[in-house]
Amino acid sequence: MRPIQAVRGIQDLPLEQLRGAGVVGFILDLDNTLVPPGSDEVPGETRRFLADLRRLGLLSVIVSNARSERADRMGQALGLPVVSRARKPFGRGYRRALGLMRLPAAKVVAVGDQLLTDGAGAWRQGIPLYLVDPLSHREAFLPRLARPFDRVLRRLLFGRREV
Ligand SMILES: [Mg+2]
């Protein structure tokens, strides 16, 4: 599996194919991957995606840099365990998520919208990343600050201009 692959969004993840390849766990970013940043609204695509994961018997954990109050609340709303204040790209959050699922990195993929946090973090753990387009362009200060660099990296890697 390539270390980083770009897809439009979570609805385009090849879940059955991944399961066939031995993937049983997903490390999911929260803001701009599952829900619009700072929003408590859960998009229909996200509900369908999480239902598909459950139907296929796949495990998942949210690993988010968001503060714990919000991340925990969203984890409850989505019915998923959460590692909040994960400080991606550092490794602690990924290791905790693997521990929660009791899985080795080789059986897990990560999903996120930012190369500098989700991409670099997963790379350091040897976990392949599915890079999604961000759900919304309204976001908090730090991710917004990082966004231009992220765009340049995306273009270098994938030649995509629309994000
Ligand atoms: Mg994000």
PDB file of all heavy atoms in Angstrom, residues 29-33 88 112-114 118 147, ligand 1:
ATOM      1  N   ASP A  29      -9.151  11.141  11.802  1.00  0.00           N
ATOM      2  CA  ASP A  29      -9.104  12.542  12.211  1.00  0.00           C
ATOM      3  C   ASP A  29     -10.545  13.026  12.382  1.00  0.00           C
ATOM      4  O   ASP A  29     -11.468  12.499  11.748  1.00  0.00           O
ATOM      5  CB  ASP A  29      -8.373  13.335  11.122  1.00  0.00           C
ATOM      6  CG  ASP A  29      -8.403  14.823  11.377  1.00  0.00           C
ATOM      7  OD1 ASP A  29      -8.092  15.238  12.514  1.00  0.00           O
ATOM      8  OD2 ASP A  29      -8.746  15.574  10.442  1.00  0.00           O
ATOM      9  N   LEU A  30     -10.754  14.022  13.240  1.00  0.00           N
ATOM     10  CA  LEU A  30     -12.118  14.512  13.483  1.00  0.00           C
ATOM     11  C   LEU A  30     -12.463  15.709  12.586  1.00  0.00           C
ATOM     12  O   LEU A  30     -13.273  15.604  11.657  1.00  0.00           O
ATOM     13  CB  LEU A  30     -12.269  14.890  14.961  1.00  0.00           C
ATOM     14  CG  LEU A  30     -13.606  15.505  15.369  1.00  0.00           C
ATOM     15  CD1 LEU A  30     -14.753  14.514  15.187  1.00  0.00           C
ATOM     16  CD2 LEU A  30     -13.556  15.983  16.824  1.00  0.00           C
ATOM     17  N   ASP A  31     -11.817  16.857  12.876  1.00  0.00           N
ATOM     18  CA  ASP A  31     -12.222  18.096  12.214  1.00  0.00           C
ATOM     19  C   ASP A  31     -11.780  18.138  10.754  1.00  0.00           C
ATOM     20  O   ASP A  31     -10.618  17.898  10.427  1.00  0.00           O
ATOM     21  CB  ASP A  31     -11.645  19.301  12.964  1.00  0.00           C
ATOM     22  CG  ASP A  31     -12.440  19.588  14.231  1.00  0.00           C
ATOM     23  OD1 ASP A  31     -13.683  19.598  14.145  1.00  0.00           O
ATOM     24  OD2 ASP A  31     -11.825  19.777  15.288  1.00  0.00           O
ATOM     25  N   ASN A  32     -12.747  18.417   9.911  1.00  0.00           N
ATOM     26  CA  ASN A  32     -12.540  18.511   8.470  1.00  0.00           C
ATOM     27  C   ASN A  32     -12.378  17.156   7.784  1.00  0.00           C
ATOM     28  O   ASN A  32     -12.201  17.087   6.574  1.00  0.00           O
ATOM     29  CB  ASN A  32     -11.348  19.412   8.106  1.00  0.00           C
ATOM     30  CG  ASN A  32     -11.826  20.712   7.503  1.00  0.00           C
ATOM     31  OD1 ASN A  32     -12.948  20.773   6.983  1.00  0.00           O
ATOM     32  ND2 ASN A  32     -11.007  21.737   7.538  1.00  0.00           N
ATOM     33  N   THR A  33     -12.438  16.078   8.580  1.00  0.00           N
ATOM     34  CA  THR A  33     -12.440  14.736   7.989  1.00  0.00           C
ATOM     35  C   THR A  33     -13.812  14.089   8.214  1.00  0.00           C
ATOM     36  O   THR A  33     -14.473  13.688   7.261  1.00  0.00           O
ATOM     37  CB  THR A  33     -11.325  13.862   8.602  1.00  0.00           C
ATOM     38  OG1 THR A  33     -10.065  14.453   8.288  1.00  0.00           O
ATOM     39  CG2 THR A  33     -11.373  12.446   8.061  1.00  0.00           C
ATOM     40  N   LYS A  88      -0.808  15.499  17.154  1.00  0.00           N
ATOM     41  CA  LYS A  88      -0.280  15.033  15.874  1.00  0.00           C
ATOM     42  C   LYS A  88       0.586  16.153  15.300  1.00  0.00           C
ATOM     43  O   LYS A  88       0.213  17.300  15.429  1.00  0.00           O
ATOM     44  CB  LYS A  88      -1.434  14.722  14.911  1.00  0.00           C
ATOM     45  CG  LYS A  88      -2.266  13.523  15.313  1.00  0.00           C
ATOM     46  CD  LYS A  88      -3.401  13.283  14.333  1.00  0.00           C
ATOM     47  CE  LYS A  88      -4.568  14.216  14.589  1.00  0.00           C
ATOM     48  NZ  LYS A  88      -5.736  13.956  13.727  1.00  0.00           N
ATOM     49  N   GLY A 112      -7.211  11.398   7.189  1.00  0.00           N
ATOM     50  CA  GLY A 112      -7.151  12.776   7.659  1.00  0.00           C
ATOM     51  C   GLY A 112      -7.054  13.754   6.515  1.00  0.00           C
ATOM     52  O   GLY A 112      -6.863  13.353   5.363  1.00  0.00           O
ATOM     53  N   ASP A 113      -7.171  15.046   6.842  1.00  0.00           N
ATOM     54  CA  ASP A 113      -7.201  16.062   5.787  1.00  0.00           C
ATOM     55  C   ASP A 113      -5.930  16.910   5.727  1.00  0.00           C
ATOM     56  O   ASP A 113      -5.815  17.755   4.861  1.00  0.00           O
ATOM     57  CB  ASP A 113      -8.405  16.987   5.966  1.00  0.00           C
ATOM     58  CG  ASP A 113      -8.272  17.850   7.204  1.00  0.00           C
ATOM     59  OD1 ASP A 113      -8.339  17.299   8.312  1.00  0.00           O
ATOM     60  OD2 ASP A 113      -8.062  19.071   7.055  1.00  0.00           O
ATOM     61  N   GLN A 114      -4.991  16.698   6.659  1.00  0.00           N
ATOM     62  CA  GLN A 114      -3.812  17.563   6.670  1.00  0.00           C
ATOM     63  C   GLN A 114      -2.521  16.759   6.606  1.00  0.00           C
ATOM     64  O   GLN A 114      -2.289  15.865   7.424  1.00  0.00           O
ATOM     65  CB  GLN A 114      -3.789  18.408   7.942  1.00  0.00           C
ATOM     66  CG  GLN A 114      -4.843  19.491   7.927  1.00  0.00           C
ATOM     67  CD  GLN A 114      -4.344  20.733   8.659  1.00  0.00           C
ATOM     68  OE1 GLN A 114      -4.211  20.731   9.866  1.00  0.00           O
ATOM     69  NE2 GLN A 114      -4.049  21.776   7.914  1.00  0.00           N
ATOM     70  N   ASP A 118      -1.775  14.902  10.074  1.00  0.00           N
ATOM     71  CA  ASP A 118      -2.226  13.527   9.834  1.00  0.00           C
ATOM     72  C   ASP A 118      -1.211  12.749   8.997  1.00  0.00           C
ATOM     73  O   ASP A 118      -0.928  11.580   9.269  1.00  0.00           O
ATOM     74  CB  ASP A 118      -3.568  13.534   9.102  1.00  0.00           C
ATOM     75  CG  ASP A 118      -4.604  14.372   9.822  1.00  0.00           C
ATOM     76  OD1 ASP A 118      -4.782  14.172  11.036  1.00  0.00           O
ATOM     77  OD2 ASP A 118      -5.220  15.234   9.173  1.00  0.00           O
ATOM     78  N   ARG A 147      -2.405  25.632   6.439  1.00  0.00           N
ATOM     79  CA  ARG A 147      -3.075  25.221   5.202  1.00  0.00           C
ATOM     80  C   ARG A 147      -2.284  25.536   3.921  1.00  0.00           C
ATOM     81  O   ARG A 147      -2.205  24.683   3.036  1.00  0.00           O
ATOM     82  CB  ARG A 147      -4.486  25.835   5.152  1.00  0.00           C
ATOM     83  CG  ARG A 147      -5.370  25.328   4.050  1.00  0.00           C
ATOM     84  CD  ARG A 147      -5.647  23.857   4.083  1.00  0.00           C
ATOM     85  NE  ARG A 147      -6.470  23.416   5.198  1.00  0.00           N
ATOM     86  CZ  ARG A 147      -6.704  22.122   5.467  1.00  0.00           C
ATOM     87  NH1 ARG A 147      -6.203  21.183   4.712  1.00  0.00           N
ATOM     88  NH2 ARG A 147      -7.437  21.798   6.503  1.00  0.00           N
TER      89      ARG A 147
HETATM   90 MG    MG B   1      -8.417  17.688  10.343  1.00  0.00          MG
END
